């Protein structure tokens, strides 16, 4: 067996000097971990925060892999086992600190990560028997929104979601996840089907916003969004919305008037993008990081403001690192929330939904 953390120690564990060599490797691993901790502690003021976080995670993975090999090596005494345990504890603590240290702009970058799971990725992993519904029966089909029938935990449901893409051809086909009016009218058609057959409705939000093109405006973009807002507010079925990536303005809200609004840990939800806000407020789009902080667009901020109901955790490093794990975590949250909503009579459900949104952004100050 050969043990060499980061290639710095080419030590071979042999039967004659097994414990000594493992001990030297543990000492070297401790030194490498101390270097990672020192660099992370000195990160403040560095403009390459995302690069530093990625590098720290990569180095921690290599060190942890080395320790796992050492743990499997025979001939260790109690002292060495305790040292290895302490090193693992330090790795866990530093990993939590690295993952939790995202600021608003870094979470924006994670929400837009090209490998982040999109609606169809979640649908494929969470639901069964998905049958897509196309077209608004008025103008055409909009691939930027996917809709359909499915089963969730054996129960028949309806699903709606924005859909982005990863390669250029698909991005053009999906219009970069920005729906036209026919997309929202297709979504409304599926909402009405859900109401007719008493099926719970799940929606997944991930869009920079509704498409602002001339054709979209000519076909009634604002009216389509407004109609969805009205109809969702009084839809006679349970509705659960999840912000999986970007939640951009009215384009997101048009499928997000729900009994439960969930946000993935690294998603964002805002009336305007940080770049757009910076361009308006400071006439300088490069101040996007400052704008992201001021907008309070993260899941934690919006949960504290009462705009969303709960935060869905993501795998370490973000949902893009493990699509299956992210889907499993989301499925657990969807199941728990649906079980709660199923206990409520429909009239009570609709009243609670209406009041929930009416009370948002109402702040009172008591004069003493």
């Amino acid at each position: 067996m050969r043990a060499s953390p980061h290639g710095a120690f080419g030590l071979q564990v042999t039967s004659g000097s097994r414990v000594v060599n493992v001990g030297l490797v543990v000492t070297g691993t401790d030194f490498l971990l101390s270097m990672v901790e020192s660099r992370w502690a000195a990160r403040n003021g560095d403009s390459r925060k995302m690069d530093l976080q990625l590098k720290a995670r990569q180095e921690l993975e290599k060190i942890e892999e080395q320790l796992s090999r050492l743990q499997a090596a025979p001939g260790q005494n109690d002292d060495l086992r305790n040292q290895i345990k302490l090193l693992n504890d330090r790795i866990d603590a530093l990993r939590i600190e690295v993952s939790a240290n995202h600021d608003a702009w870094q979470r924006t970058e994670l929400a837009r990560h090209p490998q982040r799971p999109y609606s169809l990725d979640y649908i494929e992993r969470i639901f069964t028997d998905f049958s897509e519904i196309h077209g608004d029966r008025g103008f055409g089909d909009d691939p930027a929104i996917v809709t359909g029938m499915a089963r969730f935990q054996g129960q028949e449901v309806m699903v709606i979601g924005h859909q982005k893409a990863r390669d250029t051809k698909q991005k053009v086909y999906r219009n970069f996840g920005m729906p036209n009016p026919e997309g929202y009218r297709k979504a409304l058609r599926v909402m009405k089907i859900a109401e007719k057959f008493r099926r719970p409705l799940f929606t997944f939000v991930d869009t920079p916003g509704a498409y602002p093109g001339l054709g979209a405006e000519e076909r009634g973009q604002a009216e389509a969004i407004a109609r969805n807002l009205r109809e969702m507010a009084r839809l006679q079925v349970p509705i659960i919305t999840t912000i999986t990536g970007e939640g951009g303005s009215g384009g997101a809200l048009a499928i997000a008037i729900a009994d439960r609004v969930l946000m993935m840990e690294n998603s964002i939800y805002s009336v305007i993008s940080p770049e757009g806000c910076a361009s308006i407020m400071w006439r300088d789009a490069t101040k996007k990081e400052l704008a992201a902080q001021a907008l309070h667009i993260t899941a934690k901020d919006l949960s504290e403001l009462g705009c969303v109901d709960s935060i869905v955790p993501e795998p370490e490093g973000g949902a893009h690192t493990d699509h299956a794990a992210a889907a499993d975590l989301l499925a657990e949250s969807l199941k728990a929330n649906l079980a709660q909503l199923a206990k409520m009579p429909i009239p009570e459900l609709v009243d609670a939904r209406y009041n929930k949104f009416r009370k948002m952004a109402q702040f009172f100050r008591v004069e003493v």
Side-chain angles (χ1 to χ4, degrees), residues 1-251:
M1 174 181 174
R2 183 171 297 277
S4 53
H6 253 236
F9 299 85
L11 299 173
Q12 185 174 11
V13 179
T14 62
S15 57
S17 58
R18 181 179 296 121
V19 175
V20 175
N21 283 346
V22 170
L24 287 173
V25 174
V26 168
T27 302
T29 304
D30 176 75
F31 173 71
L32 290 170
L33 182 55
S34 298
M35 289 177 61
V36 177
E37 289 172 330
S38 298
R39 280 200 301 270
W40 181 248
R43 74 194 182 283
N44 292 333
D46 197 312
S47 60
R48 299 171 294 110
K49 290 181 182 178
M50 288 293 287
D51 292 340
L52 287 173
Q53 286 174 324
L54 178 60
K55 187 174 182 180
R57 283 197 294 268
Q58 291 172 340
E59 289 177 334
L60 287 175
E61 286 174 4
K62 291 179 182 179
I63 294 172
E64 192 171 42
E65 182 181 348
Q66 178 62 50
L67 283 178
S68 66
R69 289 200 294 267
L70 292 178
Q71 284 177 313
Q76 299 176 30
N77 57 34
D78 290 340
D79 183 52
L80 280 173
R81 280 193 289 269
N82 288 333
Q83 289 184 50
I84 291 173
K85 182 180 183 304
L86 288 173
L87 287 171
N88 276 318
D89 291 343
R90 285 168 60 190
I91 288 172
D92 291 340
L94 186 55
R95 179 178 282 111
I96 291 171
E97 184 181 349
V98 170
S99 298
N101 208 266
H102 296 307
D103 60 26
W105 176 248
Q106 289 171 313
R107 293 201 187 275
T108 302
E109 291 184 315
L110 286 173
R112 297 171 175 174
H113 197 286
Q115 295 306 315
R116 194 170 178 83
Y118 299 140
S119 292
L120 286 174
D121 297 310
Y122 285 116
I123 290 169
E124 177 186 344
R125 291 167 173 80
I126 295 175
F127 301 93
T128 58
D129 301 320
F130 176 66
S131 178
E132 188 169 354
I133 294 174
H134 296 275
D136 68 342
R137 292 186 171 175
F139 180 83
D141 186 41
D142 185 358
I145 285 188
V146 294
T147 64
M149 301 174 287
R151 284 189 173 88
F152 177 67
Q153 307 284 327
Q155 182 177 359
E156 292 182 336
V157 300
M158 303 301 289
V159 181
I160 299 170
H162 296 103
Q163 181 63 27
K164 292 182 177 178
R166 296 189 173 87
D167 61 65
T168 302
K169 183 178 179 181
Q170 280 293 309
K171 284 179 180 179
V172 172
Y173 175 66
R174 300 287 182 184
N175 201 32
F176 299 86
M178 295 185 291
N180 281 285
E182 49 271 22
Y184 293 114
R185 290 175 180 135
K186 174 172 67 172
L188 179 59
R189 175 187 166 202
V190 170
M191 293 174 198
K192 290 299 184 181
I193 294 173
E195 186 174 52
K196 179 178 180 179
F197 294 102
R198 295 287 186 262
R199 295 184 178 184
L201 178 64
F202 293 91
T203 71
F204 299 91
V205 172
D206 188 10
T207 180
Y211 185 59
L214 180 61
E217 296 298 334
E218 289 175 341
R219 296 193 299 277
Q221 183 73 286
E223 186 274 341
I225 292 173
R227 184 178 294 273
N228 278 22
L229 300 182
R230 185 187 71 180
E231 295 301 321
M232 287 192 81
R234 58 192 187 187
L235 206 67
Q236 304 288 304
V237 292
I239 308 173
I240 301 176
T241 290
T242 307
I243 316 297
T244 59
E246 289 183 274
S249 193

